[in-house]
Amino acid sequence: MSTAVLGNSIGPLLRGWREQRRLSQLELALRADSSARHISFIETGRSRPSEEMILRLAEHLDVPVRERNVLLLAAGYAPRYAETPLHDPALSSLRRGIELLLQGYEPYPALVVDGTYNVVAANRGIMMMLDGVAEHLLAPPLNAMRLTLHPQGMAPHIRNLREWRGHLLAQMERQIALARSEALRALYDEVAAYPLPETGNHSSHPKESTPYFALPLQLEHNGRTLSFISSISTFNTPMDVTVAELAIETFLPADSATVEYLQSLKP
């Protein structure tokens, strides 16, 4: 594909991101230290933006790193961000850091997922949460959404499944709107279609007296109910597509009974 053809496609892409972010041309111009006229010329193809301008606009439009490469290619420039496989030696220090973080969080559960929720690392606390999950769901690549919402996965053991399911689907919807990922959309369509399991307590109003400060994951395990509050962390200012799409999810015990039980499992 020629540079001329590529350069003509940058305008509609930028306009799409701007409209998705609900910004006017003037608002974007003010944020990017440009002019509404210049933004208009870029979007209509009358002006070819520089590489610096594309990256500046992408920053103010909160465009994901992967999609910034798409914008650069559309304008005829080389991609700026590499996509290094996680097993590459160049990311060895990152992998070691993740490993130490996950180990340090034990006995509480923690895992790392990629941009489509495939599990790339997990600690021993997660293994406890997967008791009773069907073997076919544990075959690589493990997918956190399938593990959680599949009727043969964790779903039958989640006491507040309707609420937790709604939380996860809403989270995916926000990510789809941000990243425009076809793979993520396909995963969403799959897990949203899973029926609710016939077994277990899936009431929309679980009978709990603990005043939680966030929606807990209430999980049945060995005849007791464990409660967790999840937290998701990502890397700040990533310069690699792989790293940008990694997310570390940790599960904090939401009550003293869960703390005591998990502490009792420590070797």
Side-chain angles (χ1 to χ4, degrees):
M1 185 177 293
S2 70
T3 299
V5 173
L6 285 168
N8 288 334
S9 64
I10 180 65
L13 288 175
L14 282 172
R15 182 174 63 249
W17 283 109
R18 178 180 60 77
E19 291 175 347
Q20 185 169 315
R21 298 295 182 259
R22 298 182 179 181
L23 292 176
S24 68
Q25 291 179 342
L26 178 58
E27 288 172 323
L28 178 58
L30 291 173
R31 294 185 184 188
D33 193 24
S34 183
S35 67
R37 183 170 182 267
H38 187 38
I39 300 298
S40 176
F41 276 23
I42 292 173
E43 292 185 354
T44 57
R46 295 178 65 184
S47 176
R48 179 173 181 258
S50 66
E51 184 177 5
E52 178 186 359
M53 174 58 75
I54 292 171
L55 293 174
R56 191 190 316 162
L57 293 175
E59 178 70 23
H60 289 286
L61 290 170
D62 197 23
V63 177
V65 171
R66 180 184 295 276
E67 298 302 320
R68 296 183 192 194
N69 278 343
V70 173
L71 292 175
L72 289 168
L73 284 169
Y77 300 110
R80 171 67 65 91
Y81 305 97
E83 185 173 0
T84 310
L86 193 57
H87 57 77
D88 191 283
L91 297 183
S92 59
S93 60
L94 173 70
R95 294 195 306 273
R96 180 56 179 161
I98 289 174
E99 180 182 343
L100 290 173
L101 187 153
L102 295 180
Q103 289 177 354
Y105 202 71
E106 293 176 352
Y108 307 147
L111 76 164
V112 182
V113 297
D114 64 15
T116 52
Y117 290 95
N118 289 321
V119 179
V120 299
N123 67 6
R124 287 177 292 184
I126 288 292
M127 300 304 105
M128 174 272 300
M129 301 178 75
L130 299 182
D131 284 354
V133 171
E135 289 190 12
H136 71 89
L137 293 172
L138 297 175
L142 278 71
N143 185 275
M145 287 296 176
R146 291 193 186 99
L147 287 169
T148 304
L149 298 178
H150 196 284
Q152 295 179 317
M154 293 170 56
H157 308 288
I158 299 176
R159 295 195 65 232
N160 58 337
L161 178 59
R162 294 185 189 277
E163 291 88 353
W164 193 252
R165 177 180 181 273
H167 155 68
L168 293 182
L169 293 179
Q171 175 180 304
M172 294 181 73
E173 288 171 353
R174 290 192 297 271
Q175 288 181 270
I176 290 168
L178 177 65
R180 300 179 177 180
S181 168
E182 293 183 7
L184 192 58
R185 166 57 69 180
L187 177 64
Y188 174 89
D189 291 341
E190 175 190 335
V191 300
Y194 290 159
L196 290 172
E198 296 179 0
T199 59
N201 176 9
H202 309 301
S203 168
S204 295
H205 303 284
K207 297 179 180 179
E208 296 293 334
S209 59
T210 305
Y212 295 114
F213 52 86
L215 178 67
L217 168 64
Q218 297 176 323
L219 185 68
E220 293 180 1
H221 184 265
N222 287 345
R224 55 174 53 83
T225 298
L226 305 179
S227 294
F228 299 94
I229 300 296
S230 73
S231 174
I232 297 177
S233 303
T234 57
F235 290 91
N236 191 29
T237 61
M239 299 298 291
D240 186 283
V241 173
T242 299
V243 178
E245 294 180 349
L246 292 179
I248 303 170
E249 183 166 15
T250 54
F251 293 86
L252 177 72
D255 56 35
S256 58
T258 301
V259 172
E260 292 173 3
Y261 178 69
L262 293 180
Q263 290 293 335
S264 73
L265 299 179
K266 293 177 66 175

